[in-house]
Amino acid sequence: MAKSTKTVPQAYPRIDDDSRKDYGCLDDSTLVPHSGKLPVGKLKRLIRDAIRNANSKSSREILSVPPDATDFEIAKIYEREGKELFKYFKKYCGDPASTAHQFYGKHFRDVGVEQFRNRTLQKERMNSGWRYQYLAHDCATHSGRFQSVSDLGAAEADFNATIRFRDKSKGVLSLYVSVKNRSNTMGGQDWPKAIQALENVAKNDRNRTGAYCCVFGMAIDRGSRYIKRERKTNRAYSENTEVWLSDFFWPFFSNYSYEEIIRLVLDVLLESTAPATLPAQSEVPEGLLESFGQCCKIADLVDERGVFNDPHKLAHFFVT
């Protein structure tokens, strides 16, 4: 890949009213509009496809035990998932000092149950993220509004799309889109690097023609759009990168409102699957907890009672 060049504001029409929150953003009124709406039946098929594809990428459940599994096979699954839970325990520790302090004197079973439920919530969020990536991409592909839509990628841009201006002499605009669930998916310190990485994809795309606009699309975060800026200086991290919240994001790519999208996703879920068990209601298999506890013992984190008895040792475990 070619080296990125200096970032300069792209030459596309922008909102020039500085009293608006979307000041400096792409003036979407200059782009070709949607010519119609996808039929509800077709959109629901796209939603079913998105759910199925998301499940293939990242299951919402930690445990998947085949109904015909033997006792031996079930024991092996529990042993494996207990080890995976131990890896999660280390990798996703928030504050090593506070966590070590909190878990000091606790039994590994109590800690294991909490970690199991935390990991379940994480997997549910990841699954939802994949679902809305697939759905946004497929809506753009089938909407007829865009000149082209790429396949879903593994780079910073989940997909890119080209769209014509109403004024044909202006050519096309290339959109590089990264889909997230919510804007708090990334911490404040992560935004500058993420913006730079996404824009580098656009700048270094040798197949791109015309100007580009980079988009962080928030699938379930209410609001319109804005350009991310430094708090102290109010200077944009990039004039070419925008955050599109759900009330702008979904109509732009699907011609359906955020509320309509969520209602249809819910309808499909109700038609196809039983309501999921709440994480707090989930029974954690004893074999899985024993496997987690065995990992804790091997790492010398618990005493003979199975209790985390040395907070300094636990803190050291988290930071090494």
Side-chain angles (χ1 to χ4, degrees):
M1 178 179 286
K3 292 183 179 180
S4 62
T5 55
K6 183 179 179 180
T7 300
V8 296
Q10 293 293 290
Y12 53 76
R14 298 172 183 266
I15 303 297
D16 59 7
D17 182 351
D18 61 7
S19 67
R20 291 175 49 167
K21 290 183 178 180
D22 58 356
Y23 171 66
C25 290
L26 166 69
D27 184 351
D28 61 302
S29 69
T30 64
L31 302 173
V32 296
H34 285 282
S35 58
K37 266 192 169 184
L38 288 171
V40 170
K42 183 170 185 177
L43 180 52
K44 290 176 79 171
R45 287 196 294 273
L46 296 182
I47 292 170
R48 282 191 286 271
D49 289 343
I51 291 172
R52 183 178 64 253
N53 289 329
N55 289 343
S56 70
K57 281 285 187 179
S58 175
S59 170
R60 297 179 74 84
E61 300 174 346
I62 292 178
L63 286 175
S64 180
V65 180
D68 58 347
T70 65
D71 289 345
F72 177 79
E73 291 169 334
I74 293 173
K76 284 296 183 182
I77 291 171
Y78 290 167
E79 179 183 2
R80 181 191 68 224
E81 291 303 327
K83 292 177 180 178
E84 289 299 316
L85 187 63
F86 183 74
K87 293 177 184 177
Y88 171 87
F89 175 56
K90 179 179 176 68
K91 183 176 181 180
Y92 291 98
C93 165
D95 173 1
S98 294
T99 304
H101 180 260
Q102 181 183 30
F103 291 162
Y104 174 48
K106 305 296 192 304
H107 196 277
F108 74 75
R109 280 190 176 82
D110 297 323
V111 173
V113 168
E114 181 193 50
Q115 295 298 301
F116 182 90
R117 291 170 179 168
N118 289 346
R119 188 174 176 224
T120 299
L121 288 171
Q122 182 197 53
K123 288 179 72 66
E124 288 176 352
R125 295 188 186 107
M126 290 176 61
N127 179 270
S128 293
W130 278 109
R131 176 195 300 167
Y132 293 118
Q133 283 181 34
Y134 278 109
L135 183 57
H137 170 269
D138 291 350
C139 284
T141 299
H142 292 274
S143 69
R145 185 184 191 189
F146 302 92
Q147 180 175 282
S148 66
V149 180
S150 73
D151 292 334
L152 274 176
E156 282 77 10
D158 294 322
F159 67 91
N160 60 279
T162 57
I163 186 170
R164 290 190 178 278
F165 291 95
R166 291 176 185 265
D167 181 351
K168 294 182 180 179
S169 67
K170 294 184 180 295
V172 300
L173 177 69
S174 295
L175 300 169
Y176 292 80
V177 186
S178 176
V179 183
K180 310 292 182 186
N181 282 343
R182 300 181 186 276
S183 52
N184 63 7
T185 300
M186 292 188 292
Q189 73 278 6
D190 299 322
W191 274 103
K193 291 181 180 179
I195 289 170
Q196 182 181 36
L198 180 57
E199 190 154 4
N200 282 343
V201 173
K203 289 191 291 185
N204 295 321
D205 184 355
R206 296 178 180 178
N207 296 318
R208 176 176 58 82
T209 57
Y212 67 83
C213 178
C214 297
V215 173
F216 285 93
M218 304 301 159
I220 51 178
D221 211 353
R222 297 302 300 267
S224 183
R225 58 184 175 145
Y226 60 90
I227 291 175
K228 197 78 175 175
R229 300 178 182 276
E230 295 179 7
R231 287 187 177 181
K232 292 184 178 179
T233 65
N234 201 38
R235 184 174 58 207
Y237 289 116
S238 169
E239 300 287 353
N240 310 317
T241 301
E242 304 179 12
V243 178
W244 290 5
L245 302 176
S246 61
D247 292 310
F248 185 88
F249 177 75
W250 287 110
F252 187 91
F253 286 109
S254 72
N255 205 20
Y256 279 81
S257 70
Y258 170 60
E259 293 93 336
E260 289 173 322
I261 289 291
I262 293 302
R263 187 179 68 246
L264 288 169
V265 171
L266 174 59
D267 288 345
V268 170
L269 290 172
L270 290 171
E271 292 165 4
S272 57
T273 60
T277 302
L278 293 173
Q281 296 175 319
S282 300
E283 290 293 332
V284 185
E286 181 64 22
L288 189 153
L289 291 175
E290 285 294 336
S291 176
F292 173 77
Q294 184 62 29
C295 291
C296 294
K297 292 175 183 176
I298 293 172
D300 197 25
L301 299 177
V302 296
D303 61 18
E304 65 278 1
R305 300 169 298 161
V307 172
F308 292 95
N309 64 332
D310 188 335
H312 291 93
K313 188 178 294 182
L314 191 55
H316 179 73
F317 165 76
F318 287 134
V319 300
T320 56

